[in-house]
């Protein structure tokens, strides 16, 4: 009779274990769980967050091509004449008062239709195409500044230059033929300036000290 005590204890333990297993199976409980249900505020912030957008590329500068040709005219103060020849995105200019002030300048034409030309002695010219028929700007020659607005030249006007030797003297001449037929130019003999004689705009013929020379149209490539 004394041996029945341990046997009853073992059976009681087995019954308790079976009861606990059947209880877990019925309720579906799990020992541990790592899942955390998101709160409504978390869902709202995730759905309303704005999407990142990349900044649009900066637009490239618009091109304002300068029509090729020769532009001539007088300065705003009527003291001098200005001529600019444009070709292949290059430009050459001549500023002249017809007496003793002159300058040859050259440089590039930029995509926005502006040009910055430079010459000897610190001379410079800044201009900008306006529409398709004129250039406005300012020339700085010597100690003077000359604002101008010049138009695209017709066949009768233009820019000419002559280089030669006459009676042992070095001849350098520059001419601007304006739309009304007026000519403004300087002729240098061994570097000494004087008003230039008239040329024939059709042929470029000009007589210097009894000798006939030919003044030729000026382009950035000549």
């Amino acid at each position: 009779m004394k041996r029945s005590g341990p046997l009853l204890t073992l059976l009681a333990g087995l019954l308790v274990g079976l009861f606990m297993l059947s209880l877990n199976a019925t309720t579906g409980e799990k020992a541990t769980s790592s899942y955390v249900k998101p709160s409504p505020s978390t869902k709202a912030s995730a759905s309303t967050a704005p999407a990142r957008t990349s900044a649009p590329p900066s637009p490239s500068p618009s091109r304002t091509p300068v029509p090729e040709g020769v532009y001539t005219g007088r300065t705003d103060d009527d003291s001098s004449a200005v001529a600019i020849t444009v070709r292949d995105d290059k430009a050459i200019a001549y500023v002249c008062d017809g007496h003793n002030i002159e300058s040859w300048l050259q440089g590039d034409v930029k995509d926005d239709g502006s040009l910055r030309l430079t010459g000897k002695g610190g001379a410079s010219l800044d201009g900008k195409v306006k529409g398709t028929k004129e250039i406005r700007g300012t020339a700085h020659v010597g100690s003077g500044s000359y604002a101008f607005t010049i138009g695209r030249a017709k066949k009768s006007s233009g820019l000419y230059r002559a280089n030669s030797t006459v009676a042992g003297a070095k001849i350098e001449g520059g001419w601007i033929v304006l739309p009304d037929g007026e000519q403004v130019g300087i002729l240098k003999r061994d570097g000494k300036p004087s008003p230039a004689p008239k040329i024939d705009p059709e042929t470029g013929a000009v007589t210097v000290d009894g000798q006939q020379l030919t003044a030729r149209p000026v382009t950035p490539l000549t």
Side-chain angles (χ1 to χ4, degrees):
M1 297 299 290
K2 292 182 180 180
R3 294 180 179 177
S4 61
L7 181 60
L8 291 174
T9 302
L10 178 61
L11 290 174
L14 289 174
L15 289 173
V16 172
L18 291 173
F19 174 76
M20 293 300 296
L21 289 174
S22 63
L23 180 63
N24 287 339
T26 303
T27 59
E29 288 185 19
K30 295 183 180 179
T32 58
S33 175
S34 60
Y35 175 73
V36 179
K37 184 178 181 180
S39 64
S41 60
T42 305
K43 291 183 177 180
S45 61
S47 61
T48 58
R52 292 186 178 180
T53 57
S54 58
S58 57
S60 58
S62 59
R63 177 168 176 75
T64 308
V66 180
E68 294 187 347
V70 185
Y71 298 76
T72 62
R74 298 193 67 88
T75 56
D76 291 353
D77 62 5
D78 202 36
S79 66
S80 304
V82 179
I84 301 175
T85 301
V86 177
R87 183 176 177 183
D88 293 338
D89 295 329
K90 303 287 184 181
I92 187 167
Y94 183 52
V95 181
C96 178
D97 72 347
H99 301 287
N100 54 16
I101 297 176
E102 69 167 356
S103 181
W104 290 94
L105 311 99
Q106 60 183 348
D108 297 328
V109 179
K110 298 181 180 179
D111 288 347
D112 62 355
S114 64
L115 42 92
R116 167 77 173 178
L117 312 182
T118 57
K120 294 181 178 179
S124 64
L125 184 150
D126 297 285
K128 183 74 178 282
V129 62
K130 297 295 181 180
T132 60
K133 295 183 179 180
E134 67 179 28
I135 297 176
R136 297 179 187 176
T138 302
H140 305 277
V141 179
S143 59
S145 295
Y146 307 91
F148 62 84
T149 300
I150 57 178
R152 194 175 182 187
K154 296 181 180 179
K155 186 176 180 180
S156 59
S157 60
L159 176 59
Y160 300 84
R161 191 171 190 174
N163 292 282
S164 186
T165 301
V166 175
K170 182 180 179 180
I171 301 297
E172 298 173 282
W175 291 263
I176 299 173
V177 181
L178 297 170
D180 61 1
E182 179 187 3
Q183 297 186 16
V184 180
I186 287 180
L187 185 77
K188 289 183 178 179
R189 295 175 176 84
D190 289 335
K192 185 178 180 180
S194 62
K198 300 291 183 180
I199 66 171
D200 180 353
E202 297 296 328
T203 64
V206 58
T207 300
V208 178
D209 298 337
Q211 182 173 329
Q212 183 169 308
L213 306 178
T214 300
R216 303 188 182 280
V218 176
T219 71
L221 303 181
T222 58

